[in-house]
Amino acid sequence: GLMHHPALFLAGIAGSGERKRPAFRAMTQPLEHWAMEAEPDWEVTARRARARNAAVDSEIAKLKRREDSDLEATAKQIEQLEAERLSVPPAPRVFTTDCTEERLFQMLHQRQGAFAVMSGEGRPVCDAILGQYSGDGRTGDAVYLAGISGDTISRDRIGSGDTGPEERVIRRPCLNVCVMVQPDKLDESPSSRRACRRASPARAQLPLRSQRFQQLAELILAEASLAAEGRDARRLLGLVEIHRAQ
């Protein structure tokens, strides 16, 4: 049967003064609250993991310095110590507002492929997709296209002499994008428009312009004031879907 990946690419287009930032802030507030509440526990867990890993490195260094050790015994001890390492969890964040394509891959990989790019000022996001950080006339849309489509993303690099080759794979990524941009960003130049058409996913939704966006902003801000104590994002997202359907 027909299957759709649960990811969205949404862009609200509105001019200066049409209350993009307040509406965006209201929509992302529940996510920000979750991140702030999770930070203390994350700091404890991350600190414990870093301390354990530092102790493991110290013990391994001691074993390597021993000149009279048996090779097989030392290798076994190092293997046992390596098994004692703890993974340092990523910071409790579910979205970024400005990110290069390389860093976006890393953040997706650290979070098992589930992440978002969300910004009330989408110019930096558009610049990244159009290739500002890529060079050689290339666009920076590869991770966006694969992340929204759910296609496997792999990154293989030579790496350094200490760590060896870098081999990372993200299977079935889920990248959501929601940005607010001003009309002039889409009308900068013919070359930018062509690049944007090449870089933007075919499923990108650009439905909110001028008056409709201002109406939506008023609805979101009114609903946010009612839902502030409950911190319920579902009602806010429901408003967006209802308004888009009109």
Side-chain angles (χ1 to χ4, degrees):
L2 180 62
M3 296 181 64
H4 291 283
H5 195 71
L8 296 172
F9 190 118
L10 304 174
I13 305 172
S16 178
E18 294 192 21
R19 308 189 73 180
K20 297 187 297 297
R21 290 181 181 275
F24 181 82
R25 192 179 302 116
M27 288 189 291
T28 57
Q29 188 176 36
L31 303 177
E32 297 282 16
H33 278 300
W34 172 84
M36 289 187 292
E37 290 173 357
E39 275 183 4
D41 289 339
W42 166 77
E43 288 175 354
V44 172
T45 303
R47 188 164 55 246
R48 183 181 298 118
R50 294 190 188 101
R52 167 68 71 88
N53 296 342
V56 168
D57 290 335
S58 178
E59 291 300 315
I60 290 176
K62 291 178 183 178
L63 287 172
K64 290 181 177 179
R65 287 196 298 267
R66 289 174 55 182
E67 298 180 357
D68 58 343
S69 61
D70 177 80
L71 179 61
E72 291 299 326
T74 300
K76 187 173 182 178
Q77 287 179 291
I78 291 176
E79 181 182 353
Q80 292 172 344
L81 286 168
E82 289 287 358
E84 294 294 322
R85 290 188 185 277
L86 296 177
S87 297
V88 180
R93 293 172 53 195
V94 293
F95 71 93
T96 180
T97 61
D98 183 8
C99 196
T100 64
E101 189 179 23
E102 287 286 316
R103 181 56 183 151
L104 182 58
F105 175 90
Q106 292 175 347
M107 300 183 84
L108 270 169
H109 187 269
Q110 291 170 343
R111 293 161 177 80
Q112 291 77 51
F115 202 56
V117 177
M118 303 172 65
S119 177
E121 178 48 71
R123 287 176 181 272
V125 178
C126 292
D127 289 338
I129 292 176
L130 294 172
Q132 178 173 326
Y133 309 108
S134 302
D136 300 326
R138 295 179 293 128
T139 57
D141 61 336
V143 173
Y144 286 88
L145 292 171
I148 292 170
S149 300
D151 297 333
T152 296
I153 311 173
S154 62
R155 190 173 75 173
D156 298 281
R157 301 289 187 271
I158 295 175
S160 65
D162 296 333
T163 60
E166 180 185 5
E167 299 176 353
R168 298 187 183 186
V169 179
I170 306 174
R171 293 182 174 85
R172 293 191 59 77
C174 182
L175 176 66
N176 284 271
V177 180
C178 178
V179 295
M180 311 284 194
V181 295
Q182 294 188 15
D184 66 294
K185 185 60 185 176
L186 299 181
D187 300 324
E188 285 182 337
S189 67
S191 60
S192 291
R193 289 198 294 271
R194 287 194 298 271
C196 191
R197 283 195 292 269
R198 291 197 307 271
S200 299
R203 69 185 64 183
Q205 302 293 319
L206 306 173
L208 306 176
R209 289 181 178 269
S210 291
Q211 185 177 2
R212 290 190 63 201
F213 180 85
Q214 191 153 8
Q215 293 170 355
L216 175 61
E218 296 290 345
L219 285 171
I220 289 174
L221 292 172
E223 184 68 15
S225 64
L226 295 175
E229 292 185 4
R231 298 174 183 175
D232 187 356
R234 288 175 296 180
R235 296 175 68 185
L236 301 179
L237 295 176
L239 285 174
V240 177
E241 292 303 319
I242 292 171
H243 199 76
R244 286 184 59 225
Q246 294 177 350

